[in-house]
Structure formats: C-alpha cells, structure tokens
Amino acid sequence: MASNKNKERDSMDERYGRYLRYSSDMDSDIDATEFLQTAPLQGPESKPSGVFQPRPQRRLLQCRSCFTGRSTRCIIISLVVFALAWLVLGTGGFFAFQKYTQAPPDGLSPPWYPTPKGGTTKSWAESYRKASAMVSKMTLPEKVNITTGTGWMMGPAVGNTGPALNVGFPSLALQDGPLGIRFTDNATAFPAGVTVGATWNKELMYQWGNAHAIEARKKGIHAILGPCIGPLGRMPGGGRNWEGFGADPYLQGIAGAQSIRGMQDEGVMATIKHLVANEQEHFRQSFEWGLANAISSNVDDRTMHELYLWPFGDAVKAGVASVMCSYNQINNSYACGNSKLLNGLLRDEMGFQGFVMSDWLAQRGGVSSALAGLDMTMPGDGLFWANGKSLWGSELTRAVLNGSVPLDRLNDMVTRIVAAWYQMGQDDESKYDRKGPNFSSWTDKEKGVYAPGSPTEQEQRKVNDFVNVMGNHSTLARRIAAEGTVLLKNEGLLPIARDGSTPSSKAKEENAPLKIAIFGEDAGPGDGPNACDDRACNQGSLASGWGSGAVQFPYLVSPDDALTKAWDAKRVKVTTHLTNTPNFQKQPGILKEADICIVFANSDSGEGFVSWGDVKGDRNDLFLQKGGDDLIVKVAEGCHGGDGQVLVVVHAVGPVVMERWIDLPNVKAVLLANLPGQESGNALADVILGEVNPSGKLPWTIGKTLENYGEGGQIMYKPNGLVPQQDFNEGLNVDYRYFDKYNIDPRFEFGYGLSYTTFEFANLAVKEIKPKSRLPAPRPKDFAVPPKYDTKIPDAKEALFPAEIRKLSKYVYPYLDTVDDIVSDPYPYPDGYDVEQPLSGAGGDEGGNPDLWETYVEVSVDVKNTGSIGQVVPQLYLSYPGSNTIDFPVKVLRGFEKLPLQKGESKTVTFRLTRRDLSYWDVYEQNWAMVVEGKYKFSVGHSSRDLPISGTW
C-alpha cells in the first residue's frame, strides 16, 4: 500500500524528469520574467489602487506541438539538437537553462511587509496569552520544529510537524479531507462538498463538518485539510470543483463557514483551502506538468475581493484556525510567497488570526516565503518530494541565526500555530492524549515503522489500532446525499412508490407486475469503490472524485442493490444491465419488455497528480463519460418499443451537457445525484420512491454547450508560455453571472431544482435597519496588543544536533551539524520591506471591519406550500442600483434558507443583509463601498431565473 501512496511523489518526479529531458524544445533564451510588457508594478497606466491590476502582456513563444505532444521521434530529435547545442554553447547553455527554472519576481503583485502579528482580536486574546507564555520558553530548534513538516511519509499523518518537548507542545497531525479521513479505515466516506452545497441546507453544512471532526479527533488528528472553497468553479470542467460547494462566492462562503464552525466546535482545526484562484489542474504546480513554473492566475483587484476572496472572508469571520495557500501564482507571484495576498489581504484586511500553511510542496522559497507570511511548510520537503532537503528546517534555523529571517517573524509564526492549538482546546488531554494518530497513512498492517519514508532501519511498532469512528454517521451521510440530489425534470414519472404506482399510473396487479429495467455501469458496484488508488478511475457507480480529497470507502451501497430491494417484489419486477454497452440487437427484449427504464451515466475528474485515461485532472469536455450519452439515447429509443418512460440518473463532478437527450419525449424524469458518498444507493432510493421529497438545488449552471460559459470557462490545456498566463478577463461574470450578462439561456439555471410539491411566495417587505452610507465606520483599534518577545538572536550552539538523537535519513530536523559557518551579512530584503504600510479601512477584526457584518436591511417574504409535505429553498438575489461608471453583475446571490413546510402551511422567511452584502470593492478608495444613489432591488424565488417577487430599497 505504501507504494500506491507514493504515486503523488512518483508522478511529480517523473514529470520533472520529462521536463529535464524535453527542455531542449524551448525556443529561446528569453528569461522567464520577460512575458511582462513593463517592469514589475509599473506600467503605461497608473491605477490609484496599486494592487492586483493585471495589464496586457506579451506572451512567451508558444511551446512546439512535439514538446506538448511528447512524441517519441520528436523527443529523439530534440535530444540530438540539444546535445549539439550544448557542445556549441557550453556553459552558456547551462545558464540559459537556469533562467527557465527560476521563479519569476513578484510581477504584478505589490509588496506588503512586514507580516502583521496575530493576537489583536478579542476572540483570540486568551489563546494568544497562553501561547505567548509557552513560546517564550522555547528554544530556537523547537520553534523551527513547529513550523516545519518532518517530510513526506515521516510520521503517521500526511502532514506531521515536529514537537517542542521541553514545553509540552506535541507533534501536530494534519490529514486530508475534505470528504472524510484519507488513508485510514473504519471512517465514513461522506458526500462530496458539491453535494453538500447542493443541499442549500445550512444545518447540514454544519453537521457535515462536525461529524467529520468527530471522526478526525477520535483518530488522533489535530487539523483537517478542509473544507475546500477554492477552486470557486470559474471553469465548469475544473478537476477539483467537486471538493467545493458551488460556483458562487456567497454559497461557498456560507457553506465553508458553517463547515468550519462544525469542525472547530469539536476542537479540530479546520484548514480552509486553496488560497487563491487555483481554478484548474493543468499547470497548477511547478514541474507537475513539465514546466518549471506554475500557472499564473491574473486577477484584478475588484474581482479578487468580490469573487475569489469573498468566501475566505466568511471563513476568517468564522474563526478558521488555518489557511492553506495554493500551488499557483497570483499575478506572477507564488501564492505561498505572495506578501500582498498573505500579509495585506488575509491578515491586514481580513484580520486572520490563525496560521498559513503551504499546500504540499507549494512553498517555492525559504527566507522569502517566511517574510511574505507563510507560517508552516508542508510536508517539510523542499522543492521536490521526499528528498529531505527542506527550505526551512535547519535552513530556517540558519536563516534566523544569520539574521536573514528576523526572530520577530519566527516568533509570530510559532505563536500563531500554538495559539490555534489553544483556541481549539487541544491542550485538553481528555480529548487529545498526546499519543498522536492511532493509524498509519502508509500501511494497512497492524505493525510498521514510524517514518516509512526514511531508508534508515527502524524498529517495528504497532501503527494501526483500527479504531472504528463512524458511529451513526451513515444516517447523516444518507440524508445529505438525498437532500443534495437535484430533480431536474419530472413529467409525471416520479415518485415511483414501493408498489410501483406513479403520479400518472396506478399500481399493477401481482400477476402482471410493473417491469423496471436498470441500465448503466454507474448503477452497479463495479470492482468496488476502492479498486483504484485515490479513487482515480471511473468504474462502477461514481460516488467521489479522485485525488487527495478522496477517501477509503468502508462500503458503497450501489443504486442497483438499493433499488432492487426497495420495491415490492410482488408488484415490481426489476432487471439490471450494469454495462454501458448492452447488446440490444441480440437481446431486444430487455428494452422492449420494460415499462420503465432507469439509465445511469456519469462524469468524473480529480486532482492533477494522477490521471484516468486521457482525463488529466480537469475534464476534457462536459459530456457524459464512457458513452453515457449514447446509452441514454439508445435506451430512450427502445424502452417499451419507444413509448416507455425513462428516468435518467446522473452522478457527476460538475455540470454536464444534456442536449442530445434532455428533450426526448419519453425521457420523463432526470435526477442529478452529484457525488453521494457511501450511502449512494439508499439516498437515491429514498428520492425515487418518494420517502424523501427532493429539495436539492443546482450549485452551478448547466449550460447547453461548454462555450456558453465564455472564454473564462475554458480550461487551458496547452501552455501559452514557459510561465503559463491565465487572465481572468471576465472579471465578476462567472457562471450564472456570465449567462445573465450576455443573456444566454441555460439548460438549467443556478439554484434550479424541482420538488414533488409546489410553493408560492407573497408579501415581500423591505425594512431598513441602518441608513445607507458610502464607506464603513472607521477601522477600530486593535482589542489586544500582540505578544512581545526578546528579539536577541540566541546562542548558535543551542541549534547543534543533539548527540542523543539517532538521525533518520531524509527526516527533516531543525538542527545544524555545525555553526562555524554562520555569517551575519546584511540580507537583501525584498523591495518595499522597509515601507510602512497604511492599515486598510476594510480591516479591524476577524473578517474585516466589524461594520461590514452589521445588518443594514431586512427582507421578509411569506412562503406557502401549495402541495404535499416538502422543503423549500427561498433564494434572494440582489441587483445594485444602476450606474454609468461602475459595472455590476445583473444580480448576485445574497441570501438563502431551507425550511420544511407541511401541506398548506405558510411561514415567513427573513433575510438579513449586511453592509458587506450590499457593497462592492472600490479600487480607488481601497474599501468596501455602498451605492448611496438609486435603489437596490431584492428578488426572491426558486432559482436565479425564477424570481416572482421583488422589492426595492
């Protein structure tokens, strides 16, 4: 099993090797920074904001097709050409190659130094007081130990920090999410984030996070690497969209915040990820795709605030303990070394009090990333997997001793981590016994070694206790999967009751039962849910995407099994054909004899470190995979001779194009079951049989073509330069906002979802709580003063490797073998390091200026159930007052609730809109601004395009 889990590392190393082999295909010696039309931070236009203003760029020469295609003949020719060129250029060629492997300078992202210190807010003050007392007693190696991972496979979890034994601080164990606990057994495989988002149920969002944390704590995990709110879903084919909650910042923000509260109420640190604009898998990471540098997401200031950073603001307001910075670059500065992002936006504007950790190998610099605001590096290895050559560890110790990294900065890094530990109550040994995880991520056997990533011989020990932590969480998983199922079409077919009756037909007699035929590989168990490492294949019923967000399934209830058992066998005869290529010519009866045909199809994707066939993380298109569209058409054409009723069930990671079959006359019903987790079949049966009234809503738009989503919705499959550049030119107009702006008719709009009952809205009322004012109240003073420490550089000898410790090869230690080479030369700090930054008026507390979270207007509406029992999801969309100078989206989601209603019952729903909800980011004021002229419009209804009632303010 350990070899399987090496796939992440091996795929990276293989791609790096290919990069070295193919580097001769590069067309010129143009420096990797010369794609900028102007000098960094300067340009032909001067903007008052000075932040995140991408400008027109001159692209690097395009990579040749043989380079991207990697054909054998081209590779051989390239190697010959490279060898000849090497002889001619000699060492000059080496230095030219060096240019390709160096990270670009902070292109269009301005400097923001130094890092604001934590411990300024009331909600964290006591935790910082405790942390300060502990950190003040730590040695330099102990401080470094806490900030640096011990290396890949150098401990029981996927991420492990070193302890500070002298003061009683333990090694922290960090484990993927966000669907459950990765690399362990006897734990629940919950529905994916996108399914949770599709419930539009705040209570379930909380319970999903809380149950996950209960299991993590019982396994000995301190921090869950989730929830995921980035990618946002700019591109519908993005490989990891399914880990998040939907393609809208408001929906992502609410779901993320609720999940965080659920996790942290159990005393487990939540890690919100990935910061930020990591919207596709292709080229996301250095060397993973054969290029030395990751893609740069070029995002303007307003779009960054209103779209991509918006849900992170909700997360910080919820008190999240940790933020994970992403692999990609933002405006040509790596996220984990982007001082404007980590220091300016996250800490100064949002008031983040926790710690920033890197994604695994997302750190691309040592001193530079510490100065830019990174607090913890994961997994501890440096630029490449499992080599033990950390950019921190002993190098951070050396950097502090020689004055490169101010001790003041290291103290803040450590204090933030320790304060988060106290904030979660993890010093309570009744919850955390200091023994660490009771399982190993690297073997299923009872015994193993502590650090299997090290070749050093180690003593065998018990590493797996096989603790069952699932409890009754299957009930919650089933409920989420059912409520996250979206009914897209229903023309009298659903529900199909246990006796076979439907809304349009009565139950049949026992001597002539209703015949239901189930088709499609996606309906069945296949080779089991864990047949492929990290779930990286599409076989059997799809219940999860693949990658680090996937988990080991304890079981999977397949749809065919649950449905076959659900109906009364005396009145309903079920046959199953669990293939996408049934032989209808040889067996025409399997279609012709069926009264109702249920056909299953799916679409899968995942994380870019592993592929399935030609799907390399991101989907290649939005069609159903493995011939799913063909199967649906054939079943519809032949079911009961062509006049049978057809139900289509789709499991998918995101939107799928349905145009080939959605309007076929006998396709009577369509269910989108998303990614339902282990209780897949049971949840689906609950909906189909009417035990649960469908109440799921689309968390994104289903277009008629991929092109409907615009240029910004297209994956970049081939690099447009040695440092791929992706300009987010669509700005705020992503998903339904793009469809609205350009008046494009979707197949099914954002927020859409049918029910077995009907609801109506009436009596919308708007109540002003506070009057409009352009800018929020002045930034308040900090509640508390950050801890202060002695900044004198300690005696270098305390960093020497202790003689009593047995070294493990490749294990990352904070110690030095010698201190004789420590030299304190003046360090070339980054440009702008000594410039005092003005505090943002948008800041002042967790989540930003407290006034942003004050309610300014209430919108109430009456909702009545005009049919049978069910749950309604009133949605509120805001339209800004008209403006000749500011471009606003047509409408934006700013409220939703979910509530059960009995037949004929009415309830009043009240939406409370905050100043933040009503504001836009003013790039001139560098603050959230409200429109004081004209009227806001509030529209309420069932979806983004079904809004029957509105009011103004």
Side-chain angles (χ1 to χ4, degrees):
M1 187 166 190
S3 61
N4 294 339
K5 291 167 183 175
N6 281 329
K7 183 173 287 186
E8 290 171 73
R9 181 193 69 198
D10 293 344
S11 61
M12 175 75 73
D13 293 344
E14 289 167 7
R15 285 172 179 139
Y16 176 54
R18 287 199 296 266
Y19 169 77
L20 294 178
R21 292 197 296 273
Y22 306 154
S23 61
S24 57
D25 281 349
M26 299 178 179
D27 295 285
S28 78
D29 291 339
I30 296 176
D31 189 276
T33 64
E34 290 185 29
F35 54 81
L36 298 178
Q37 190 177 50
T38 62
L41 312 184
Q42 298 175 3
E45 299 179 28
S46 177
K47 295 288 185 180
S49 65
V51 279
F52 289 150
Q53 298 290 343
R55 302 179 176 90
Q57 300 163 356
R58 175 166 55 85
R59 301 300 187 199
L60 283 175
L61 296 177
Q62 299 294 310
C63 296
R64 292 288 185 249
S65 60
C66 76
F67 172 68
T68 55
R70 298 171 180 168
S71 70
T72 302
R73 190 169 69 176
C74 280
I75 293 170
I76 294 172
I77 293 172
S78 298
L79 288 173
V80 172
V81 171
F82 177 77
L84 291 173
W86 188 269
L87 290 174
V88 174
L89 296 175
T91 56
F94 171 76
F95 290 112
F97 171 76
Q98 284 295 93
K99 292 182 179 181
Y100 295 124
T101 62
Q102 293 168 357
D106 292 353
L108 301 176
S109 187
W112 209 108
Y113 299 101
T115 302
K117 294 178 181 177
T120 58
T121 66
K122 183 178 181 179
S123 54
W124 283 72
E126 179 61 17
S127 294
Y128 268 86
R129 185 192 64 78
K130 294 177 181 178
S132 175
M134 178 179 280
V135 173
S136 65
K137 300 173 185 177
M138 289 183 186
T139 64
L140 175 59
E142 285 183 316
K143 293 176 182 179
V144 171
N145 236 6
I146 291 172
T147 66
T148 307
T150 56
W152 182 245
M153 298 179 68
M154 295 297 182
V158 297
N160 309 273
T161 63
L165 297 178
N166 293 328
V167 295
F169 189 80
S171 169
L172 298 182
L174 293 65
Q175 197 76 1
D176 296 304
L179 269 70
I181 307 172
R182 188 187 184 198
F183 289 163
T184 191
D185 54 15
N186 296 316
T188 305
F190 289 101
V194 69
T195 311
V196 178
T199 69
W200 291 60
N201 188 323
K202 296 176 183 178
E203 176 193 356
L204 289 185
M205 292 165 183
Y206 176 92
Q207 291 183 11
W208 178 77
N210 188 249
H212 188 169
I214 290 171
E215 298 194 8
R217 182 179 59 78
K218 290 182 177 180
K219 286 285 188 179
I221 295 300
H222 297 90
I224 294 170
L225 303 178
C228 177
I229 53 173
L232 177 72
R234 173 182 185 248
M235 291 163 274
R240 298 184 75 179
N241 290 351
W242 58 273
E243 294 185 40
F245 303 102
D248 177 83
Y250 185 88
L251 177 61
Q252 285 265 35
I254 295 296
Q258 287 294 100
S259 304
I260 289 164
R261 293 185 181 101
M263 291 175 181
Q264 297 192 165
D265 281 354
E266 185 60 27
V268 179
M269 299 181 200
T271 305
I272 204 73
K273 63 182 187 183
H274 305 84
L275 185 74
V276 63
N278 185 179
E279 294 295 314
Q280 68 170 56
E281 291 304 287
H282 282 73
F283 321 121
R284 65 169 186 157
Q285 187 176 4
S286 302
F287 295 112
E288 191 176 59
W289 296 86
L291 294 176
N293 282 294
I295 194 170
S296 177
S297 299
N298 301 323
V299 189
D300 70 84
D301 189 25
R302 185 179 170 201
T303 299
M304 179 62 76
H305 280 83
E306 293 186 35
L307 214 60
Y308 298 100
L309 278 180
W310 180 282
F312 287 91
D314 290 286
V316 173
K317 181 64 176 176
V320 69
S322 177
V323 171
M324 181 188 291
C325 49
S326 53
Y327 288 117
N328 58 299
Q329 300 182 65
I330 296 99
N331 298 331
N332 293 288
S333 175
Y334 278 98
C336 292
N338 190 314
S339 64
K340 176 61 183 179
L341 176 66
L342 303 183
N343 292 339
L345 301 183
L346 182 63
R347 288 187 171 94
D348 178 48
E349 282 187 22
M350 294 187 190
F352 176 57
Q353 299 296 299
F355 63 95
V356 176
M357 77 167 71
S358 72
D359 204 337
W360 271 229
L361 260 63
Q363 183 190 27
R364 308 310 295 170
V367 172
S368 61
S369 61
L371 300 179
L374 185 66
D375 301 307
M376 179 187 288
T377 178
M378 278 290 142
D381 302 290
L383 298 176
F384 301 102
W385 285 98
N387 62 6
K389 298 178 181 179
S390 182
L391 294 170
W392 283 1
S394 60
E395 294 301 321
L396 181 55
T397 301
R398 186 185 307 276
V400 171
L401 291 175
N402 67 25
S404 303
V405 173
L407 183 58
D408 200 41
R409 171 80 266 263
L410 177 63
N411 286 336
D412 180 60
M413 293 157 61
V414 179
T415 305
R416 285 176 173 274
I417 297 168
V418 177
W421 182 72
Y422 277 118
Q423 187 78 350
M424 297 302 108
Q426 292 184 358
D427 56 321
D428 182 352
E429 294 191 34
S430 67
K431 290 186 175 182
Y432 284 91
D433 59 15
R434 308 294 175 92
K435 295 179 181 178
N438 51 40
F439 71 97
S440 170
S441 298
W442 318 115
T443 180
D444 292 332
K445 297 179 180 179
E446 183 178 12
K447 290 190 175 182
V449 297
Y450 179 81
S454 173
T456 303
E457 185 177 352
Q458 301 166 60
E459 182 181 354
Q460 290 277 318
R461 53 190 284 181
K462 187 176 182 181
V463 294
N464 277 312
D465 291 331
F466 308 109
V467 178
N468 190 322
V469 297
M470 293 186 287
N472 63 349
H473 293 157
S474 61
T475 302
L476 175 63
R478 181 171 179 169
R479 183 184 170 191
I480 293 172
E483 285 202 27
T485 297
V486 184
L487 180 61
L488 296 176
K489 181 178 180 179
N490 190 26
E491 296 177 353
L493 176 56
L494 296 179
I496 306 171
R498 291 188 182 277
D499 62 5
S501 61
T502 72
S504 58
S505 63
K506 296 181 179 180
K508 293 197 174 185
E509 300 296 328
E510 291 186 6
N511 59 354
L514 178 73
K515 295 180 180 179
I516 296 178
I518 296 175
F519 297 93
E521 179 185 319
D522 185 69
D527 296 326
N530 302 318
C532 299
D533 298 337
D534 289 312
R535 318 293 78 81
C537 62
N538 186 352
Q539 62 83 37
S541 191
L542 184 66
S544 165
W546 74 69
S548 62
V551 299
Q552 191 85 356
F553 277 68
Y555 61 84
L556 173 61
V557 179
S558 61
D560 71 310
D561 184 54
L563 289 170
T564 300
K565 294 176 181 177
W567 283 302
D568 182 351
K570 295 179 179 179
R571 293 179 178 271
V572 180
K573 180 181 178 181
V574 180
T575 59
T576 59
H577 313 277
L578 306 180
T579 174
N580 285 9
T581 56
N583 196 332
F584 294 131
Q585 289 186 337
K586 288 188 176 181
Q587 297 177 291
I590 62 177
L591 267 178
K592 189 174 182 180
E593 294 173 6
D595 300 304
I596 294 174
C597 296
I598 304 177
V599 56
F600 286 76
N602 65 36
S603 184
D604 197 6
S605 71
E607 192 171 357
F609 74 84
V610 64
S611 347
W612 167 66
D614 63 347
V615 182
K616 303 182 186 305
D618 304 307
R619 286 189 287 168
N620 297 331
D621 51 52
L622 299 188
F623 298 116
L624 293 168
Q625 295 168 351
K626 305 185 77 170
D629 294 296
D630 293 336
L631 176 63
I632 295 170
V633 171
K634 289 178 181 178
V635 169
E637 289 174 346
C639 186
H640 203 262
D643 63 2
Q645 298 185 94
V646 176
L647 163 62
V648 175
V649 178
V650 174
H651 290 111
V653 292
V656 294
V657 172
M658 304 177 173
E659 295 312 293
R660 280 190 61 195
W661 46 266
I662 189 66
D663 287 329
L664 294 177
N666 59 338
V667 173
K668 299 296 184 181
V670 178
L671 283 170
L672 175 67
N674 293 298
L675 300 175
Q678 67 185 39
E679 287 290 323
S680 173
N682 287 334
L684 186 64
D686 289 341
V687 173
I688 291 177
L689 273 70
E691 302 293 330
V692 171
N693 197 329
S695 59
K697 303 291 181 179
L698 287 178
W700 22 249
T701 300
I702 297 180
K704 296 180 179 179
T705 67
L706 175 57
E707 290 68 33
N708 281 170
Y709 297 85
E711 183 180 352
Q714 313 306 309
I715 301 289
M716 181 192 293
Y717 295 106
K718 294 184 179 181
N720 57 9
L722 295 174
V723 183
Q725 301 290 307
Q726 192 162 66
D727 298 336
F728 288 38
N729 292 328
E730 72 285 348
L732 302 174
N733 297 303
V734 169
D735 198 76
Y736 71 92
R737 302 175 183 209
Y738 184 86
F739 282 74
D740 287 349
K741 180 177 179 64
Y742 295 101
N743 198 28
I744 300 169
D745 290 329
R747 171 51 65 177
F748 297 110
E749 69 270 19
F750 175 83
Y752 176 86
L754 300 174
S755 171
Y756 297 152
T757 185
T758 54
F759 305 95
E760 63 181 27
F761 299 94
N763 304 323
L764 185 144
V766 179
K767 179 183 178 181
E768 179 177 281
I769 304 300
K770 289 188 173 185
K772 297 176 186 176
S773 57
R774 178 158 173 73
L775 297 177
R779 174 173 176 150
K781 294 182 179 179
D782 292 339
F783 174 82
V785 177
K788 293 182 179 180
Y789 303 94
D790 183 358
T791 57
K792 180 182 177 182
I793 295 177
D795 186 346
K797 291 181 180 179
E798 78 174 36
L800 287 171
F801 208 106
E804 65 272 16
I805 293 182
R806 177 175 176 260
K807 270 190 180 182
L808 295 180
S809 176
K810 296 187 178 182
Y811 194 93
V812 178
Y813 296 98
Y815 305 111
L816 299 172
D817 291 322
T818 179
V819 295
D820 294 340
D821 57 350
I822 301 294
V823 179
S824 298
D825 289 332
Y827 184 76
Y829 287 104
D831 292 340
Y833 190 77
D834 296 325
V835 177
E836 184 177 354
Q837 299 289 341
L839 297 179
S840 171
D845 202 354
E846 275 191 295
N849 190 316
D851 193 24
L852 294 173
W853 301 92
E854 291 291 316
T855 298
Y856 271 68
V857 63
E858 289 183 352
V859 179
S860 60
V861 63
D862 294 337
V863 189
K864 182 178 181 179
N865 186 344
T866 55
S868 59
I869 185 173
Q871 294 191 89
V872 62
V873 183
Q875 302 167 36
L876 181 145
Y877 293 83
L878 175 154
S879 297
Y880 289 89
S883 173
N884 294 324
T885 58
I886 306 168
D887 185 21
F888 291 110
V890 174
K891 57 181 170 290
V892 294
L893 179 69
R894 283 296 185 264
F896 66 89
E897 298 293 338
K898 190 168 194 174
L899 60 156
L901 290 176
Q902 299 294 324
K903 183 178 181 179
E905 184 181 11
S906 295
K907 287 184 179 179
T908 300
V909 177
T910 300
F911 302 98
R912 294 174 176 83
L913 283 85
T914 66
R915 169 181 276 280
R916 179 173 178 252
D917 293 330
L918 297 159
S919 298
Y920 69 97
W921 182 255
D922 189 315
V923 298
Y924 296 90
E925 295 282 358
Q926 283 296 288
N927 207 338
W928 293 97
M930 191 182 291
V931 183
V932 293
E933 302 293 333
K935 291 187 176 182
Y936 286 84
K937 181 180 178 182
F938 307 112
S939 303
V940 177
H942 299 286
S943 72
S944 63
R945 293 210 171 182
D946 183 3
L947 301 166
I949 193 165
S950 63
T952 59
W953 177 55

